[in-house]
Amino acid sequence: MPAPPRLCSCGAIVPAGDLCACQRDTIRARKRRYDATRPNSRQRGYTRQWEALRAEFLRQHPTCAFCGAGAEVVDHIQRHHGNVALVMNWNNLQSLCKHCHDSEKKRRERGHY
């Protein structure tokens, strides 16, 4: 039996497991505010050298380290926080599919295994 719909704080009835339009707008606005304060990719260490390293790493490691699917993302095992030595360290890289990078990796970083 499916879960019943719920009542959002704005008064809208929302299907179970879904977000109300007002909630989606609030989340988008919060993300826009965060992105406005975040350094751009070049400032975070993602240079042309990184792009070349990333392409070579994906060529040599084409499958996701978590699920074995085709990899699309080269992820840093240890967070680099702009440290160029960690950004460019081959041993600090792993290939991940987009799904595992956006879900499983984030869960592990937060400590929710």
Side-chain angles (χ1 to χ4, degrees), residues 24-42:
R24 282 192 294 273
D25 292 344
T26 301
I27 291 169
R28 285 186 190 123
R30 180 177 40 83
K31 288 182 178 181
R32 271 195 302 275
R33 285 191 308 273
Y34 171 75
D35 286 344
T37 64
R38 188 175 186 208
N40 66 38
S41 61
R42 291 288 187 232

Side-chain angles (χ1 to χ4, degrees), residues 43-94:
Q43 293 168 329
R44 293 192 320 265
Y46 297 107
T47 61
R48 288 189 178 148
Q49 293 84 5
W50 160 253
E51 291 168 5
L53 178 71
R54 178 191 178 280
E56 179 62 20
F57 194 86
L58 279 175
R59 190 181 68 71
Q60 291 187 28
H61 302 90
T63 58
C64 177
F66 292 167
C67 72
E72 307 162 52
V73 178
V74 175
D75 178 66
H76 292 91
I77 298 167
Q78 179 184 353
R79 299 175 93 181
H80 59 80
H81 300 287
N83 180 341
V84 177
L86 281 177
V87 171
M88 300 302 287
N89 184 346
W90 186 273
N91 296 320
N92 189 36
L93 304 177
Q94 62 185 349

Side-chain angles (χ1 to χ4, degrees), residues 63-71 95-101 104 108:
T63 58
C64 177
F66 292 167
C67 72
S95 295
L96 298 176
C97 68
K98 180 83 171 129
H99 174 75
C100 287
H101 178 264
E104 183 65 25
R108 290 182 184 196

Side-chain angles (χ1 to χ4, degrees), residues 6-15 18-33:
R6 63 179 180 78
L7 184 63
C8 179
S9 60
C10 72
I13 297 174
V14 184
D18 207 358
L19 291 176
C20 180
C22 72
Q23 292 171 315
R24 282 192 294 273
D25 292 344
T26 301
I27 291 169
R28 285 186 190 123
R30 180 177 40 83
K31 288 182 178 181
R32 271 195 302 275
R33 285 191 308 273

